[in-house]
Amino acid sequence: MLTSVYYKMDEKHKNELFRYYDHLGTDYPYYLEENSRLIISKNIENIINEIPQTQRTIDSAGIIEIISNSFLLSNRTLVNGVKRAPWMGKISDSGIWEYSEIPNHSNSNLDIEQAAKVLKLHLKNEMLKYIDKRNTIGILLSGGLDSRIVAGVLRELQLSNEFKGDVVALTWGVTESRDVIYASEICKKYNWEWNHLKLDAEVLEANIYTAAKIGAEFSPLHLHAMSQVREVKGIDAIIAGSYGDSVGRAEYSGRHLLRVKETLPGNLNKFGLLKSEVIRSNYSSILDDAYGYKKYIKRTQEYQYREIEQEMHYMRRKLQACMNYISEKTPVYQLFTDPKTFGFMWGLDPTVRNDKIYEIILKGLPDEVGSMPWARTGRSLNSTVIDNNTTLKTHHKYGLWLRNDLNNFITKLVTSDRILNLGIFNEKALLKLIKIWPKSSTITTNQIDEIISWLASLSLFLEKYNINNSFTPPTNFRDKLNSFYGISYAKVYQMAREKQRK
C-alpha cells in the first residue's frame, strides 16, 4: 500500500502538473512505485534513474505495441515498472488515483450554424482560461485549419482587449512549404512576431537522440522542431491546436470517426519483425491495454468507444506525448480539450461534426484569414481560393532525409548488437527490411520509415539507460515463415505506397 507521493520537480511544475487533468490534452507524467511510495516526474530520465541499473528491463509488450500501432497504449512505457499517469486521472497526496467524469456521447442534430457558434464560444472561454494573467503567449502556427482557428480566436481576444499581451507565433518547416508561407502571411495580418524554425536532416538526426532520451515512445519523426521551441525565451505559455481535427471535425488521421477502426490491428506482426513467442506471451496484456477501459466506461454505440480509444491512446500517447517535451520548460495548452468544449462536440451526432462547422468558424475570423488556402489541399475549405504557386504541400522532406542523408547512421543503429541481442526481434526479417527500406523514393514517410527511425532511437535508448531483457525466447519455425511473408508484404506495401504518392 502506498503511503506517500514524492515529486521530482520544483513547486511551480508540481502545481501545474494535474491542473487540467480533466482535459484531453494535458501532461501525463511518469511514475514508479517504490518502497510504499510513488515517485512522479514529467521527465522519464528522473524516474529510470531511481531503478538500479541491474534491474532495468525492457517491457516487451510496449515494443509490440509500437511496432504494430506506432504508439504505446494505456499507461505503458518501454521500461518495466515505469508508467504514465492514466487518462483523465490525478494522484492524491496519499497515492490514490482519482478520475474525472467523462462527458457522454449523444446524437443531437443541432443546426450547423448554431453548433459552430456554440463551439466558438467554448473555444474563446477555454482560451481565456489558458492565457489569463500571461504577458506573452506563444502559438504553434502552421498552414492548417486547426492552428488558424486558434490564431483567429486569440486575435479576437486581442482586438476586444480581453487579452492585452503579446503573441509570438512559432512555425516549423522547410521554407518553400505552404505551412511556412501561410503562417507568415497570417502573422503579417495580425502584426505578430513570427519565428520560423527550419527543418533539415541535421534536425532530424538530433531528434533521433532526443526521442531516445525521452523514452523512445514514438518515432523521432514527430518531434519536428520541438527542441527549438523549448529554447524560445520570453514566452509564458504556448497554445496549440493539435486536437482540433479530432474534436471539431471528428477526424482521426484523415478518417472520419464513423470510419475509424478498432485500436488493435488484426495482425500485430505484419512485417514479421517480432518473434512469435514474444507476441504470444504478451497478447493478453496488450489486449487489456487497448480495451481494458471498457470495464469502467460504458457507451451505447461502437463509434463512441472508437473515439475514446483514439483520444486515450493515439492522441495522448503519440501526438500529445511529443508536446510534453516542450512543456517540461514552458506550459503547453491544447485548445479544443476543455471538457466543456469536447463535451459539447461529443454531444452532437457525428454526422454534424464535419467540415461545415469549420467553414462557418473560419469565415468569421479577423482579417479574412479563414479564406486563405489550407496547407493540406492548397485550397480554401470552400474551394473559392486556390493556391496556384509552386508551394510544397508537406512541411518536411523526412522520407528523403532518412533514407539518403541519414541512411548509414540509422542502419548502423538498427543493426547494432543492442537491437539484435535484445531477443525480441526476428533478426532475419529485420535485416531484410533494413535492406529494402531505402528503396522508397517518396518525400513523405511510410510505416516502414516510421518503424526504422523508431528502432534507431530505441537502440540509443537501450544504450543510454542500460536497459536489458529478462526473457529471450528462441527463434522457431514460425518466425522463419513470418520472415518470408512479412518481407513479401513489406515489398508490396512499399510499391503500393510509391504509386499512391506519385
Side-chain angles (χ1 to χ4, degrees):
M1 181 178 178
L2 295 174
T3 58
S4 63
V5 180
Y6 174 56
Y7 293 89
K8 297 201 66 153
M9 63 191 75
D10 57 39
E11 199 65 24
K12 177 182 176 182
H13 283 95
K14 177 183 173 183
N15 292 336
E16 278 281 326
L17 197 58
F18 294 110
R19 184 180 178 187
Y20 295 119
Y21 80 102
D22 58 345
H23 288 44
L24 290 176
T26 188
D27 290 332
Y28 296 95
Y30 297 93
Y31 70 92
L32 172 72
E33 293 183 20
E34 182 194 62
N35 299 327
S36 299
R37 69 172 182 168
L38 186 143
I39 304 170
I40 193 163
S41 175
K42 293 181 73 170
N43 188 318
I44 194 172
E45 186 169 6
N46 290 338
I47 300 296
I48 293 177
N49 287 340
E50 293 290 323
I51 306 173
Q53 288 198 12
T54 55
Q55 298 176 28
R56 299 175 188 174
T57 56
I58 197 76
D59 190 325
S60 301
I63 297 284
I64 299 168
E65 289 174 359
I66 294 178
I67 287 288
S68 61
N69 255 2
S70 82
F71 52 90
L72 288 159
L73 302 173
S74 188
N75 309 327
R76 195 176 297 276
T77 72
L78 294 185
V79 182
N80 282 311
V82 180
K83 302 294 182 183
R84 280 270 199 179
W87 188 59
M88 297 289 182
K90 68 175 181 177
I91 196 73
S92 67
D93 291 337
S94 60
I96 303 298
W97 287 105
E98 300 172 351
Y99 295 90
S100 166
E101 289 290 327
I102 310 297
N104 285 317
H105 284 82
S106 190
N107 57 352
S108 169
N109 279 298
L110 188 65
D111 174 77
I112 196 73
E113 292 278 351
Q114 184 64 20
K117 182 179 179 180
V118 175
L119 173 58
K120 188 175 180 183
L121 179 61
H122 281 307
L123 292 175
K124 278 193 172 185
N125 291 334
E126 184 180 353
M127 178 77 81
L128 283 169
K129 182 165 59 175
Y130 299 149
I131 65 179
D132 183 43
K133 298 178 182 178
R134 313 275 186 179
N135 295 317
T136 303
I137 292 295
I139 174 175
L140 298 183
L141 185 63
S142 69
L145 303 180
D146 305 315
S147 70
R148 191 172 308 175
I149 288 176
V150 174
V153 170
L154 184 54
R155 181 58 177 164
E156 285 186 356
L157 294 175
Q158 276 190 314
L159 294 173
S160 65
N161 283 322
E162 292 172 89
F163 175 61
K164 298 180 180 180
D166 297 320
V167 177
V168 177
L170 307 163
T171 305
W172 55 62
V174 294
T175 304
E176 63 273 27
S177 68
R178 293 172 185 166
D179 277 303
V180 171
I181 294 169
Y182 299 168
S184 174
E185 291 177 7
I186 291 171
C187 288
K188 288 176 183 176
K189 289 175 179 286
Y190 288 172
N191 196 28
W192 287 348
E193 180 182 334
W194 181 59
N195 285 6
H196 174 209
L197 309 172
K198 294 183 179 180
L199 293 178
D200 54 27
E202 186 177 346
V203 170
L204 182 53
E205 181 177 357
N207 284 345
I208 293 174
Y209 284 97
T210 299
K213 179 183 177 182
I214 60 179
E217 297 186 356
F218 43 76
S219 166
L221 300 174
H222 305 293
L223 283 171
H224 306 299
M226 294 186 192
S227 294
Q228 299 170 60
V229 172
R230 269 171 54 106
E231 303 306 319
V232 176
K233 306 298 182 184
I235 293 177
D236 301 316
I238 294 172
I239 309 295
S242 308
Y243 285 73
D245 277 344
S246 64
V247 172
R249 300 190 299 125
E251 180 183 287
Y252 295 91
S253 301
R255 188 188 296 266
H256 190 269
L257 175 60
L258 295 176
R259 297 190 298 112
V260 168
K261 299 178 181 178
E262 60 182 3
T263 293
L264 287 181
N267 183 359
L268 300 182
N269 196 22
K270 60 187 176 184
F271 294 124
L273 294 176
L274 300 160
K275 288 185 177 178
S276 56
E277 178 58 26
V278 173
I279 294 178
R280 189 202 63 77
S281 60
N282 285 287
Y283 187 74
S284 61
S285 296
I286 295 170
L287 205 64
D288 189 60
D289 280 354
Y291 308 120
Y293 74 94
K294 290 185 178 182
K295 301 171 188 174
Y296 313 102
I297 302 174
K298 302 299 181 182
R299 288 295 187 266
T300 59
Q301 297 188 51
E302 200 60 32
Y303 80 84
Q304 298 166 358
Y305 286 116
R306 296 291 84 82
E307 179 145 53
I308 289 170
E309 290 164 22
Q310 287 292 309
E311 295 292 357
M312 179 187 295
H313 303 311
Y314 169 65
M315 295 297 295
R316 166 174 164 248
R317 298 308 311 272
K318 187 173 184 178
L319 299 188
Q320 183 63 9
C322 305
M323 294 291 179
N324 291 163
Y325 184 54
I326 301 174
S327 69
E328 287 180 15
K329 288 196 172 185
T330 304
V332 177
Y333 301 115
Q334 292 279 9
L335 205 65
F336 293 91
T337 68
D338 186 288
K340 291 182 179 178
T341 305
F342 79 85
F344 167 70
M345 297 306 292
W346 281 15
L348 299 177
D349 189 277
T351 59
V352 179
R353 296 166 62 189
N354 55 41
D355 289 356
K356 190 64 180 177
I357 287 183
Y358 262 29
E359 188 178 323
I360 294 168
I361 293 176
L362 287 164
K363 187 167 55 176
L365 297 181
D367 295 299
E368 299 183 339
V369 298
S371 65
M372 292 171 56
W374 181 12
R376 187 189 296 184
T377 62
R379 298 169 175 262
S380 59
L381 198 56
N382 60 10
S383 295
T384 58
V385 179
I386 301 174
D387 185 351
N388 292 314
N389 299 311
T390 56
T391 52
L392 286 181
K393 174 183 176 180
T394 57
H395 66 273
H396 60 79
K397 299 180 182 179
Y398 288 150
L400 298 182
W401 295 335
L402 281 175
R403 303 180 218 109
N404 299 330
D405 303 69
L406 303 180
N407 186 311
N408 292 336
F409 167 68
I410 290 174
T411 298
K412 185 176 179 180
L413 288 173
V414 174
T415 58
S416 67
D417 289 342
R418 291 185 295 276
I419 295 292
L420 299 180
N421 293 340
L422 198 58
I424 293 174
F425 297 105
N426 186 354
E427 182 176 329
K428 201 168 187 180
L430 180 58
L431 294 178
K432 286 180 179 179
L433 188 68
I434 199 71
K435 287 183 178 179
I436 71 166
W437 159 62
K439 295 180 180 179
S440 180
S441 60
T442 59
I443 293 176
T444 55
T445 55
N446 56 39
Q447 291 179 30
I448 298 174
D449 294 313
E450 183 129 352
I451 290 172
I452 295 296
S453 60
W454 169 73
L455 284 169
S457 286
L458 176 66
S459 178
L460 294 169
F461 168 76
L462 296 171
E463 179 183 35
K464 176 176 176 60
Y465 295 111
N466 191 31
I467 309 293
N468 300 297
N469 192 7
S470 57
F471 171 64
T472 304
T475 300
N476 57 34
F477 180 70
R478 187 170 184 177
D479 295 328
K480 294 178 181 179
L481 288 177
N482 285 343
S483 174
F484 173 77
Y485 289 115
I487 295 307
S488 297
Y489 174 82
K491 290 178 180 178
V492 172
Y493 164 79
Q494 201 171 49
M495 288 173 57
R497 182 79 173 185
E498 291 287 302
K499 290 182 179 180
Q500 182 186 31
R501 292 291 175 173
K502 284 184 179 179

